[in-house]
Amino acid sequence: MKILVCISSVPDTTSKINFTADKSAFDKNGIQWVINPLDEFALTKAIKLQESQGATVTVMNVGDAATEPVIRKALAIGANDAVRVNLDPKDSYSTAKEIASVAQNGGYDLVLCGKESIDYNGGSVPGMVAQLLNQPFVNASVGLDVNGSEATAVREIEGGKETISVKLPAVIAGQKGLVDEKDLIIPNMRGIMSARTKPLQVVEPTSSEVKVQGVSYDSVPPRAAVKIVSPDNLDELVRLLHEEAKVI
């Protein structure tokens, strides 16, 4: 079984997010980059299938050369090889189109990814990939088993869980719960050293077509200062809630 795991390079959650002076783009200066956490759940699941079923695991990323340290970390976690499409993606469609091209040319049985990236939270790439490949798609999976040419996925729905069976090849987008958090793999020294020599193929994009263009970005307004009111001064509390907070 051949598995393609799609990973995004996203800012670490501790990084301070800023935008350029004209608010037209995200300012990448001083950012620490990591594997998108939801993609890491998908990667860990792929490694488990590698261990239990002898699957080969390829990680891929659509991005420029700056994403290669993140790709190497995925290789250190246990992927066999990697593909980077040399494109700074501008929208979900251009990203999905490149993923679909790699998946189709590589003849993969299963495409795994997170349901969304934590930077833009678009959540549209996995479904687009499945549509472009004309393959079954299960989103927001919290469980996955593969038996021969069939995959059984579990996804959360309102009030419970739904179990879905699909024929391979298929696209599965996972979320927290696809594997236990305790099973997420921290690369050891052996993995880090071996990642340096694992194949990382760089391919040029098939297209530069962009269907959606970001116009501007705004930071979240800073929180207002906290006012502390003495428990004995209920009149002042009521006044603040009425005149300033305007909740009563």
Side-chain angles (χ1 to χ4, degrees), residues 36-84:
N36 178 47
L38 298 181
D39 295 336
E40 197 165 352
F41 282 102
L43 175 58
T44 303
K45 185 63 185 182
I47 298 303
K48 285 184 172 294
L49 291 171
Q50 179 194 67
E51 294 170 349
S52 63
Q53 300 191 23
T56 59
V57 178
T58 299
V59 292
M60 78 158 292
N61 168 263
V62 180
D64 57 25
T67 66
E68 290 196 4
V70 167
I71 298 173
R72 289 292 178 190
K73 181 182 178 182
L75 291 170
I77 286 173
N80 299 94
D81 58 357
V83 177
R84 178 174 69 82

Side-chain angles (χ1 to χ4, degrees), residues 4 8-9 21 25 31 37 41 57 77 97 156 172 185 187-188 203 233 239:
L4 180 67
S8 296
S9 177
I31 296 296
F41 282 102
V57 178
I77 286 173
K97 191 171 183 180
E156 292 180 339
I172 307 291
I185 301 168
N188 55 29
V203 299
N233 194 355
R239 186 190 70 78

Side-chain angles (χ1 to χ4, degrees), residues 225-246:
V226 175
K227 292 185 178 180
I228 299 177
V229 180
S230 169
D232 299 324
N233 194 355
L234 294 181
D235 289 341
E236 176 64 6
L237 176 61
V238 171
R239 186 190 70 78
L240 291 171
L241 291 174
H242 177 66
E243 297 179 4
E244 296 190 14
K246 300 186 185 302

